[in-house]
């Protein structure tokens, strides 16, 4: 009885009360901050669904971008986006995987690797508009015209660091005992890497590629002055090529209601693609862990 | 008999040549294996050198493209506010100012909120919700910036114009400094709105890095603090934060790098006006927004070159920020490893 009394007395003393109050306030702020952060996600996705779904129809996928004031679709933009994304991944992925392999296997501790690792991290978060300027200087300016190739190369430059990073991370996760077992039966390193390390890290590497696709399918800035845009359907990589993000940029800033509506629909398509890819990528690795 | 002898010798020869043939073919196989290994080694090394070449290429290409502007304007380019395509006089001061101000606003909001969300995720959140909320925050980071841009232009800017900005202008009309900061007609678009949208974009980066860093705190440290009767907040404030200080700052710098270079979200709502205004509600421009808005329409070598020079400045700033961030995060990793 006496103990309880002293306990309550202690808990009621100003020092304890103050500490408890501060704790409650801090916790309250943490809850508020989380609700605030998630609130934006809900708000943005909500608005996107509300505005985007209204414009969704078959025409979006079967008709080209319309002239101002007319109805139409996004077929040429979707096609252009897919072509440049696929090409960007085809160019960027092999370089990324090979460089990541060097960092994790051949040169795990050497000087070159630590430099490359650092540079790769810088490239990973370099402003994408600067990548666009770079490709403009090396491809568009010498060739004298904008082209789908330049767009694909710009996207490849963004793909490389992402793939390097995930490939290295995933290969370092492969237990060394597997490597030692392979070495003990006389397998050369190249075979060990291709037949054993790659196979063990397969899901992780695929995740990296998916994340890279998710990243570039929404990129606008590097395409603005490499692939430019095109009103018409074009499969010619040597000519300016439309892409979904650039079309959204152009249409959203226009004064025409039909264009703005298409911009919202395009935005919804991109978001669904990007979120879908990142969720797929996440489920691949989490499935492997458990 | 002769034939028999021949047979024997043939057999003997065969007997002798069989191991030799095996040895020869084994040597060939080994040589082939060694060759493929060497080729593969060379390929991977070449690819990692290509990553180095990529960064050097970016720097060289930008310097090459910026050379005409830099040689015409010299160092004055950095401190000149004018931006006049007609008289071909260009200066980077307004875009640099806009980039720094919008990023500052973004960090001012994203840092405390991000830290508190990470605090919630590591210390308060029920186990069941930890993963879904963490994933949701990371999804927020994955939404392309153009989505933030279109949302900012059509939803957020009108909201700011009708509700938030008039409120700020009226409330602070008679407060000395704030009345200058929040002055002028409420356009909706402008530096303040751009800063807020950047804050929403940077928030997930700050949160997810802080959370990873907080998760790396050894549980014994926290348990010891709880054991002597610390409250949750005290454990976080006096144990977790000091222990992870370096990493948290590294995370901030990474977020800052993102905010400085962000293009599309800002381009939609900044207003693209090349002048420096004391009011945060005034339209302005950032480096990335200037490039995105004007590059394809730039006429004349000097105009184009000035925009590339802006890109070079942006790359230099983000390079420094990111390098510091990586250095700090690396230091934490080594500290954690020991």
């Amino acid at each position: 009885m006496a103990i309880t009394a002293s306990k309550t007395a202690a808990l009621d003393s100003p020092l304890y009360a103050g500490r408890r109050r501060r704790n409650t306030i801090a916790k309250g702020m943490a809850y508020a901050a989380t609700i605030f952060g998630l609130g934006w996600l809900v708000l943005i996705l909500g608005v996107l669904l509300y505005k985007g779904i209204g414009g969704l129809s078959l025409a979006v996928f079967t008709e080209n971008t319309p002239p101002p004031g007319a109805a139409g679709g996004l077929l040429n933009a979707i096609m252009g986006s897919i072509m440049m994304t696929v090409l960007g991944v085809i160019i960027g992925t092999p370089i990324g995987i090979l460089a990541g392999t060097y960092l994790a296997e051949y040169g795990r501790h050497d000087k070159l690797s630590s430099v490359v690792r650092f540079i790769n991290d810088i490239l990973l978060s370099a402003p994408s508009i600067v990548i666009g300027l770079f490709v403009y200087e090396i491809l568009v300016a010498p060739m004298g015209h904008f082209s789908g190739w330049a767009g694909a190369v710009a996207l490849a430059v963004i793909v490389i660091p992402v793939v390097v990073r995930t490939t290295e991370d995933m290969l370092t996760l492969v237990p060394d005992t597997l490597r030692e077992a392979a070495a003990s039966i006389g397998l050369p390193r190249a075979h060990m890497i291709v037949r054993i390390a790659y196979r063990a890290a397969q899901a992780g590497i695929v995740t990296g590629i998916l994340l890279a696709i998710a990243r570039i399918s929404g990129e606008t800035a590097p395409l603005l002055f490499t692939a430019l845009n095109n009103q018409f359907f074009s499969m010619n990589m040597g000519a300016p090529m439309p892409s979904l993000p650039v079309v959204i940029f152009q249409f959203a800033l226009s004064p025409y209601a039909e264009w703005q509506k298409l911009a919202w629909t395009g935005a919804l398509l991109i978001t669904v693609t990007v979120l879908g890819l990142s969720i797929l990528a996440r489920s691949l690795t989490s499935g492997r862990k458990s | 008999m002769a034939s028999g002898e021949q047979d024997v010798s043939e057999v003997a020869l065969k007997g002798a040549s069989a191991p030799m043939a095996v040895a020869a073919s084994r040597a060939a196989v080994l040589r082939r294996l060694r060759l493929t290994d060497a080729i593969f080694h060379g390929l991977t090394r070449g690819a990692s050198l290509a990553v180095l070449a990529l960064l050097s290429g970016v720097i060289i290409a930008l310097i090459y493209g910026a050379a005409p502007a830099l040689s015409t304007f010299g160092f004055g380019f950095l401190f000149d506010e004018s931006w006049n395509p007609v008289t071909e006089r260009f200066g980077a001061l307004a875009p640099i100012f806009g980039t720094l101000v919008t990023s500052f606003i973004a960090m001012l909001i994203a840092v405390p909120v991000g830290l508190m969300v990470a605090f919630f995720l590591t210390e308060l959140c029920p186990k069941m919700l930890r993963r879904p909320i963490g994933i949701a925050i990371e999804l927020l980071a994955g939404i392309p910036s153009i989505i933030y841009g279109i949302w900012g232009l059509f939803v957020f800017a009108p909201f700011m114009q009708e509700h938030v900005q008039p409120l700020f202008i009226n409330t602070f009309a008679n407060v000395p400094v704030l009345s200058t900061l929040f002055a002028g007609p409420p356009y909706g678009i402008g530096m303040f709105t751009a800063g807020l949208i950047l804050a929403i974009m940077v928030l997930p980066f700050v949160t997810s890095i802080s959370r990873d860093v907080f998760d790396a705190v050894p549980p014994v440290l926290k348990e010891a603090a709880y054991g002597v009767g610390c409250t949750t907040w005290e454990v976080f404030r006096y144990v977790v934060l000091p222990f992870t200080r370096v990493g948290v700052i590294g995370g901030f710098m990474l977020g800052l790098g993102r905010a400085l270079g962000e293009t599309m979200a800002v381009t939609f709502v900044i207003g693209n006006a090349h002048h420096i205004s004391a009011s945060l509600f005034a339209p302005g421009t950032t480096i990335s927004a200037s490039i995105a808005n004007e590059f394809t329409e730039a006429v004349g070598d000097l105009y184009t070159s000035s925009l590339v020079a802006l890109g070079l400045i942006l790359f230099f700033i983000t390079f420094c920020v990111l390098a510091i961030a990586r250095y700090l995060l690396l230091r934490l990793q080594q500290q954690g490893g020991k």
Side-chain angles (χ1 to χ4, degrees):
Chain A
M1 192 64 205
I3 295 168
T4 355
S6 72
K7 212 177 184 178
T8 38
L11 285 176
D12 286 338
S13 81
L15 179 67
Y16 285 120
R19 284 177 59 195
R20 240 180 337 171
R21 198 169 53 239
R22 269 198 294 280
N23 192 40
T24 318
I25 293 172
K27 276 185 174 174
M29 276 163 62
Y31 280 103
T34 311
I35 292 168
F36 178 79
L38 290 178
W40 292 115
L41 182 68
V42 174
L43 199 62
I44 291 173
L45 290 183
V47 169
L48 203 56
L49 273 178
Y50 173 75
K51 296 242 187 188
I53 271 188
L56 215 54
S57 65
L58 198 64
V60 170
F61 302 98
T62 54
E63 286 175 32
N64 289 334
T65 46
L74 293 165
L75 174 67
N76 52 344
I78 295 173
M79 240 354 250
S81 268
I82 291 176
M83 280 180 68
M84 284 190 287
T85 305
V86 168
L87 254 165
V89 171
I90 289 176
I91 301 171
T93 308
I95 302 177
I97 289 184
L98 286 174
T101 309
Y102 183 82
L103 297 183
E105 299 286 344
Y106 285 108
R108 196 179 283 191
H109 302 292
D110 71 8
K111 192 94 191 141
L112 172 67
S113 295
S114 52
V115 176
V116 172
R117 218 167 272 142
F118 179 77
I119 296 299
N120 192 64
D121 279 346
I122 300 269
L123 278 177
L124 194 60
S125 12
S128 53
I129 190 137
V130 170
I131 307 288
L133 283 179
F134 164 62
V135 174
Y136 176 86
E137 288 293 339
I138 62 161
L139 282 180
V140 180
M143 279 162 62
H145 59 90
F146 301 98
S147 68
W149 286 113
V153 169
L155 294 181
V157 174
I158 295 169
V159 166
I160 291 174
V162 180
V163 176
V164 170
R165 184 62 183 275
T166 43
T167 305
E168 190 204 351
D169 286 352
M170 291 306 150
L171 282 176
T172 17
L173 283 181
V174 174
D176 276 339
T177 42
L178 279 181
R179 297 197 177 85
E180 285 157 11
S184 74
I185 56 165
L187 215 57
R189 257 186 144 169
H191 290 249
M192 181 275 286
I193 292 166
V194 175
R195 301 262 177 85
I196 290 161
Y198 278 171
R199 205 166 287 180
Q202 209 172 34
I205 296 175
V206 173
T207 301
I209 299 171
L210 285 178
L211 286 178
I213 299 174
R215 168 93 194 268
I216 58 170
S217 49
E219 280 290 354
T220 321
L223 295 177
L224 281 176
F225 29 82
T226 50
L228 202 69
N229 200 347
N230 195 338
Q231 286 280 119
F232 308 102
F233 188 87
S234 161
M235 299 270 273
N236 178 7
M237 291 296 288
M241 199 164 222
S243 67
L244 211 38
V246 176
V247 166
I248 293 174
F249 180 54
Q250 185 200 349
F251 281 15
L253 286 173
S254 76
Y256 313 109
E258 289 89 352
W259 276 16
Q260 291 180 359
K261 199 172 167 193
L262 271 177
W264 276 108
T265 309
L268 179 68
L269 289 180
I270 288 191
T271 311
V272 169
T273 313
V274 170
L275 291 186
L277 280 169
S278 18
I279 290 170
L280 180 69
R282 244 168 258 282
S283 66
L284 265 182
T285 34
S286 70
R288 205 176 62 109
K289 262 179 210 156
S290 63
Chain B
M1 195 66 194
S3 72
E5 250 178 42
Q6 212 177 358
D7 276 350
V8 170
S9 73
E10 249 180 11
V11 170
L13 268 174
K14 256 188 197 157
S17 70
M20 266 167 66
V22 170
S25 72
R26 182 177 288 172
V29 168
L30 275 180
R31 232 188 348 265
R32 213 182 56 233
L33 288 179
R34 209 171 300 141
L35 189 70
T36 47
D37 191 36
I39 291 172
F40 194 65
H41 189 167
L43 271 177
T44 58
R45 205 181 153 82
S48 56
L49 287 174
V51 173
L52 285 189
L54 207 57
L55 189 86
S56 344
V58 171
I59 296 173
I60 294 169
L62 287 181
I63 291 178
Y64 173 77
L70 292 180
S71 63
T72 311
F73 302 115
F75 262 107
F77 185 68
L78 287 176
F79 309 106
D80 193 355
E81 197 197 322
S82 57
W83 188 269
N84 193 336
V86 181
T87 58
E88 296 220 307
R89 239 183 92 78
F90 301 102
L93 196 61
I96 293 178
F97 174 80
T99 302
L100 296 181
V101 169
T102 48
S103 301
F104 180 74
I105 297 173
M107 295 311 283
L108 207 64
I109 296 164
V111 164
V113 175
L115 272 184
M116 289 315 269
V117 177
F119 169 50
F120 172 81
L121 282 175
T122 50
E123 304 291 333
L124 302 175
C125 187
K127 270 254 149 57
M128 214 177 66
L129 287 178
R130 263 180 85 157
R131 232 180 100 75
I133 294 183
I135 290 178
I137 297 272
E138 276 164 31
L139 287 184
L140 199 59
I143 296 179
S145 60
I146 191 158
I147 309 296
Y148 288 93
I150 187 173
W151 177 81
L153 179 68
F154 287 116
V155 182
F156 195 59
F159 175 76
M160 292 291 292
Q161 183 176 22
E162 280 162 32
H163 303 286
V164 181
Q165 291 185 349
L167 183 77
F168 271 59
I169 292 170
N170 294 332
T171 314
F172 298 120
N174 299 315
V175 188
V177 180
L178 294 178
S179 65
T180 329
L181 276 182
F182 301 117
Y187 290 111
I189 55 175
M191 310 266 262
F192 190 63
T193 308
L196 292 184
I197 288 179
L198 274 184
I200 302 171
M201 286 201 63
V202 171
L203 179 66
F205 291 98
V206 176
T207 306
S208 70
I209 293 175
S210 311
R211 187 200 54 187
D212 291 348
V213 169
F214 293 161
D215 271 337
V217 176
V220 263
L221 283 183
K222 288 197 272 186
E223 283 157 15
Y226 280 122
V228 296
C230 286
T231 60
T232 318
W233 170 245
E234 284 163 348
V235 171
F236 177 71
R237 172 70 188 76
Y238 299 107
V239 177
V240 176
L241 261 190
F243 187 84
T244 55
R245 196 180 53 230
V246 178
V248 167
I249 295 173
F252 294 166
M253 301 297 266
L254 222 54
L256 180 61
R258 181 67 57 153
L260 288 168
E262 181 44 50
T263 309
M264 298 323 289
V266 175
T267 307
F268 274 99
V269 292
I270 191 83
N272 201 38
H274 276 274
H275 62 84
I276 295 174
S277 167
S279 171
L280 293 177
F281 289 164
T285 191
T286 67
I287 296 179
S288 47
S290 302
I291 303 174
N293 266 322
E294 298 172 34
F295 198 82
T296 43
E297 288 153 19
V299 194
D301 287 345
L302 201 57
Y303 195 176
T304 312
S305 172
S306 299
L307 287 168
V308 178
L310 280 183
L312 182 65
I313 295 169
L314 175 67
F315 190 65
F316 180 74
I317 300 175
T318 47
F319 187 94
C320 294
V321 169
L322 293 173
I324 297 172
R326 289 300 168 189
Y327 172 72
L328 291 174
L329 287 171
L330 205 71
R331 245 181 62 186
L332 182 85
Q333 229 171 38
Q334 283 160 352
Q335 173 198 333
K338 269 172 198 165

